[in-house]
Amino acid sequence: MKRLSVFIAAFASVFLLAACGDGGNSNSSSSKNSSSSETQLTGQSDSDYYQSVIKNGHYLTSKSRGVNVQQDSNQLNLKSFEAGLMNISKKQFSTSKYVFQEGQYVSTDTAEKWLGRKTKSNPEGLNPAGKATKTPLYLQQMDEQDFLTQDGNSLKMSGMTIGLGINSIYYYQKQAYGATYQMKLSDAEIKAQGKKMASEVLARLRKNKALKNIPIVIALYKQAPDDSLVGGNFFAYSVNNGSSTSVSNWKSINAQNYVFPVASGQKGPSNNSDENDFSNFKTQVQNFFPNLSGVTAQAQYINGSLTGMNVNITTQFYSQTEIISFTQYLQSTASKYLPTGIPIDITVGSTTGVQSFLSRDTNEKNFTFHIFNSY
Amino acid sequence: MKRLSVFIAAFASVFLLAACGDGGNSNSSSSKNSSSSETQLTGQSDSDYYQSVIKNGHYLTSKSRGVNVQQDSNQLNLKSFEAGLMNISKKQFSTSKYVFQEGQYVSTDTAEKWLGRKTKSNPEGLNPAGKATKTPLYLQQMDEQDFLTQDGNSLKMSGMTIGLGINSIYYYQKQAYGATYQMKLSDAEIKAQGKKMASEVLARLRKNKALKNIPIVIALYKQAPDDSLVGGNFFAYSVNNGSSTSVSNWKSINAQNYVFPVASGQKGPSNNSDENDFSNFKTQVQNFFPNLSGVTAQAQYINGSLTGMNVNITTQFYSQTEIISFTQYLQSTASKYLPTGIPIDITVGSTTGVQSFLSRDTNEKNFTFHIFNSY
């Protein structure tokens, strides 16, 4: 008996789903009480983003929430991993058809076991058995994203994306609280280990009845070193339809992240014209304003072309009027010097936090800006 | 001999002024070299903001730069004072006609003297002579804003705004490094002292030849206590035309800032419907999301009506996907619960900084948002 049907629409406010509608009670106040059967969606204002699931008035958080935060020394790997995984999901699961749900199938307990080393007491560990000083831990973080579709008057699990974050450098100690040693892992090793683990993960997930016949995307991410100012990058993914229990079909992703200015001894992009553009911008800006303590950028390349940039400017500003003038100056200078045709964010921060930011989307000509105010 | 004329135009990029044009050299490369005579403007993209002055390629910073930063224990007083003063300036000096210049007439040395207590060694001190434990310091910060207009091929000093920040609580120690004591100052005292100092400041400024005949606006600000979560407010200003050397004509400003939720024992706005709106919003948001450590707002009232709100949400987020979902949820919830017809900013921050923010201008219906990304 349908009482309310599910709308998965753009430009929507908060929607209500009554999974187990009480046929005898047509009172609309049910939209306000938190009965155990209530599922809502967050609403979607922008087709770039998924709607997501609210259960009983609360946001449905991930079952393995927080595990990755503990796992990653470099928080940039975390943000880059999660955002990048969502971009891969969007290729397979359109934001207009699917509702996003934080991972509900891999629990904290399971995630911790899988991320651990294989031992007698942890037979489920995906990292190879061996001594900490000899055998690296490859798998550093994992993330599950669920995708739901409308099925009558409820939501149905219809797709999943799993990300596996593989170390590029293995950090270890020879004794507790001792010095930290590094073991650099080759790209071939990272790739081989990631693919092996992906098949194992797929086989394990397929044992769950709900996941037996849905497409499961598995994506492999190479973690950036702990001291990197930019996160790592995805390098391969596979779409596993139907009931496949082992991954056979990999697609590569040719993505690189760089930090501008490129530090001496570090590898920069093969074409250095973007870096030159940034360098001219940086010189211009630093010449303009005293007390700029840093002008850096994260630059992302896909298939060898620049696809986006996050510029970070840190400074000790003395006044709100300086922030206003500086932001206006940045608006014209960024348009003049920075590469065009890509999305660019510029954040101006001081010791007391973000002071202003500017942003330009791919197809926009001008930067819009916002200056953070306080009464 | 005019070589380049000054354009003070909206939607402009960086402009060049050659105050002492070299008639013999018409080479346009002069726009690139930093001769001592070069003055540029920052450009203006929004009629809400002034263009400001670049000298020899550098931003022209205030002559008393940094003095206020040392003076203010509560940085909110600083931002609120400077931004508020600029709003008062805009009433007198239109952003389309005038160019803003950071204060160039009151030097660091002078500012420090004026802000000090009157003593034998500091006869210029604007704060009354007396013992630190008996006679309060009233004047806590001051700010100078200069306004220029085009005059032939150079810029001419054409207006000034001075802000005086008067303490509402005087903090003092009985002995060096000892306990801090408080002396509450009455509104009548604040007003009387501020007006007296304003006349003294005006008389001193008029002694400078460049300031003899320009309009000088003086505005009085009541500092918020050191532990306040919102800055103080301007309560009076005077426009002093021509050669007047003492202030006679005061206009009052009826502005109040509050923090929502209003703490017990603190005074809230007389009409509590805005606070109720905020409270409903807060409940809704906190119910939706776990781990929100704070939902507060700064609310500004002018003549008894709410004129703007800055909402601050702090949380420990675990993932980028949570930030995306939460921001989308905020967009619909804020539209539903928060007061309409006023500008509202909502900032979502965590221990690692600002994660996202939403903003709605006075005349807009919907909140736009930005989620801070990282590669």
Side-chain angles (χ1 to χ4, degrees), chain A residues 12-14 34 41-46 49-54 56-62 65-69 75-76 78-80 82-83 86-87 100 102 143 145 221 229-232 257 284 286-291 298-300 307-310 316-326 328-329 331-333 336 343 345-347 352-355 357-359 369-375, chain B residues 12-14 34 41-46 49-54 56-62 65-69 75-76 78-80 82-83 86-87 100 102 143 145 221 229-232 257 284 286-291 298-300 307-310 316-326 328-329 331-333 336 343 345-347 352-355 357-359 369-375:
Chain A
S13 187
V14 175
S34 296
L41 302 180
T42 51
Q44 184 191 42
S45 55
D46 185 327
Y49 298 103
Y50 292 102
Q51 297 203 75
S52 55
V53 178
I54 305 170
N56 312 325
H58 309 298
Y59 181 65
L60 191 62
T61 57
S62 157
R65 190 172 200 246
V67 175
N68 285 344
V69 178
Q75 292 292 307
L76 293 173
L78 193 63
K79 213 162 184 169
S80 140
E82 290 162 345
M86 191 157 260
N87 285 336
F100 167 76
E102 303 270 350
D143 195 20
Q145 298 179 345
Y221 177 88
L229 294 176
V230 68
N257 296 331
Q284 200 68 20
Q286 284 184 322
N287 191 40
F288 174 73
F289 225 87
N291 298 66
Q298 297 181 328
Q300 181 164 70
T307 51
M309 216 185 229
N310 293 326
Q316 176 56 66
F317 278 111
Y318 283 105
S319 72
Q320 182 71 358
T321 49
E322 291 187 0
I323 294 162
I324 293 170
S325 297
F326 184 54
Q328 288 196 93
Y329 178 74
Q331 190 184 34
S332 60
T333 308
K336 204 168 160 188
D345 279 6
I346 304 174
T347 311
T352 56
V354 175
Q355 300 298 328
F357 96 101
L358 302 94
S359 179
F369 66 85
H370 187 83
I371 293 164
F372 289 90
N373 202 358
S374 179
Y375 293 120
Chain B
S13 186
V14 176
S34 297
L41 301 181
T42 50
Q44 184 191 41
S45 55
D46 186 327
Y49 298 103
Y50 292 101
Q51 296 203 77
S52 54
V53 178
I54 306 170
N56 311 324
H58 307 298
Y59 182 66
L60 191 63
T61 55
S62 159
R65 191 172 199 248
V67 175
N68 286 344
V69 177
Q75 292 292 308
L76 293 173
L78 194 63
K79 214 162 185 170
S80 139
E82 290 162 347
M86 190 156 259
N87 286 337
F100 167 77
E102 303 271 350
D143 195 21
Q145 298 180 345
Y221 177 87
L229 294 176
V230 68
N257 295 331
Q284 201 67 20
Q286 284 185 322
N287 191 40
F288 175 73
F289 225 87
N291 298 68
Q298 297 181 328
Q300 182 164 69
T307 51
M309 215 184 229
N310 293 327
Q316 175 56 65
F317 277 111
Y318 283 104
S319 72
Q320 182 73 357
T321 48
E322 290 186 2
I323 294 161
I324 295 170
S325 296
F326 184 54
Q328 289 196 92
Y329 178 74
Q331 191 184 34
S332 59
T333 308
K336 205 167 158 189
D345 279 6
I346 304 174
T347 311
T352 56
V354 176
Q355 301 298 328
F357 97 100
L358 302 95
S359 180
F369 64 86
H370 187 84
I371 294 164
F372 289 90
N373 202 358
S374 178
Y375 292 120

Side-chain angles (χ1 to χ4, degrees), chain A residues 9-46:
Chain A
F11 307 102
S13 187
V14 175
F15 288 102
L16 179 77
L17 286 162
C20 319
D22 171 7
N25 175 12
S26 60
N27 191 324
S28 70
S29 76
S30 67
S31 66
K32 278 177 187 163
N33 75 45
S34 296
S35 80
S36 63
S37 59
E38 257 186 39
T39 304
Q40 287 172 286
L41 302 180
T42 51
Q44 184 191 42
S45 55
D46 185 327

Side-chain angles (χ1 to χ4, degrees), chain A residues 113-132:
Chain A
K113 279 182 186 159
W114 291 12
L115 289 166
R117 192 184 284 289
K118 188 170 189 159
T119 60
K120 260 189 192 165
S121 63
N122 185 34
E124 291 181 49
L126 287 169
N127 279 302
K131 276 185 91 170

